Amino acid sequence: MSDHQLVIAGLRAELGGVEVLHGVDLAVPGGEVHVLMGPNGSGKSTLAHALMGRPGTTVTGGSVTIDGRELLGLAPWERARAGLFLALQQPIEVPGVRLEALLAEAGAEDGGSSAPLHDRLVAEADAIGFDPRFLDRALNVDLSGGERKRNEVLQLGVLRPPFCVLDEIDSGLDVDALASVARRIERATKEWGMGVLAITHFRRLLVELRADAVHVLAGGRIVASGGPELADELDRSGYAAYGAA
């Protein structure tokens, strides 16, 4: 547990001129794992993009703070510097940019560890079963979807952000890969008190990743919150009770 807190209050956002988020309220304390579930089209990825300031997602109201510091209005890189990390649902290739160079530029070398950056990369790769040969490639070039997801978690482990948003980190990962990724994320909640907002469609993520709370997003709002048992209910009954088929 840490003293950090990510607070989302009354967040409203549009995509293509259509309001998708209609006032989202959510608080994630440091050291906790909060899982956000919901049907297709409920606004889960829009929420992730609004938090990180992705172009094309327009925030029209509310606030997003880390330890009281407002993130809305900051550029994406400034939000990252403030302590927010987004693991993308579909990580892209960046030809010509090596992973180690990217992380050095992102400030990993002053991230609180005395170990050389390359050594930390190798250690993180080993922890999640990421082939060390990929460390010398341009970012995500010629990697499978699952390896790209592991690469996101590797970067998270090196950068050690106070908070991370995992946008469907489980998609594209086989059972063994998901287990190793989940273990690394759980260790991060204890090692430096990282808070986690994990977005997913499926309960299978919670089989591997221990959740402190589960929230349901439907119709652009948080409509239910509870413990891991809420995910069991959704697995049995679906989202019909929350206005979605």
Side-chain angles (χ1 to χ4, degrees), residues 198-213:
I199 296 169
T200 186
H201 281 296
F202 305 112
R203 179 183 167 276
R204 80 171 190 134
L205 177 63
L206 282 85
V207 173
E208 303 295 345
L209 182 64
R210 174 196 55 80
D212 294 285

Side-chain angles (χ1 to χ4, degrees), residues 141-239:
V141 170
D142 295 330
L143 297 189
S144 68
E147 293 297 349
R148 293 184 186 196
K149 292 297 184 73
R150 291 192 206 228
N151 201 356
E152 295 286 282
V153 176
L154 184 153
Q155 294 168 51
L156 182 155
V158 172
L159 291 169
R160 301 171 70 90
F163 291 96
C164 75
V165 179
L166 307 174
D167 192 1
E168 297 191 25
I169 195 69
D170 48 325
S171 66
L173 293 178
D174 62 29
V175 173
D176 292 335
L178 180 58
S180 63
V181 161
R183 285 194 299 269
R184 183 65 190 102
I185 292 166
E186 282 198 1
R187 286 204 312 276
T189 66
K190 298 175 175 61
E191 284 177 23
W192 66 88
M194 184 178 72
V196 179
L197 179 60
I199 296 169
T200 186
H201 281 296
F202 305 112
R203 179 183 167 276
R204 80 171 190 134
L205 177 63
L206 282 85
V207 173
E208 303 295 345
L209 182 64
R210 174 196 55 80
D212 294 285
V214 175
H215 309 278
V216 179
L217 183 70
R221 294 183 176 87
I222 301 293
V223 296
S225 295
E229 69 280 357
L230 180 54
D232 296 332
E233 175 194 319
L234 294 170
D235 197 46
R236 292 191 303 269
S237 307
Y239 296 101

Side-chain angles (χ1 to χ4, degrees), residues 3 11 14 26 28 38 62 64 76 114 131 141 172 191 195-196 198 228 231 239:
D3 295 329
L11 187 65
E14 296 179 349
L26 188 62
V28 181
V64 177
S114 59
D131 192 325
V141 170
E191 284 177 23
V196 179
Y239 296 101

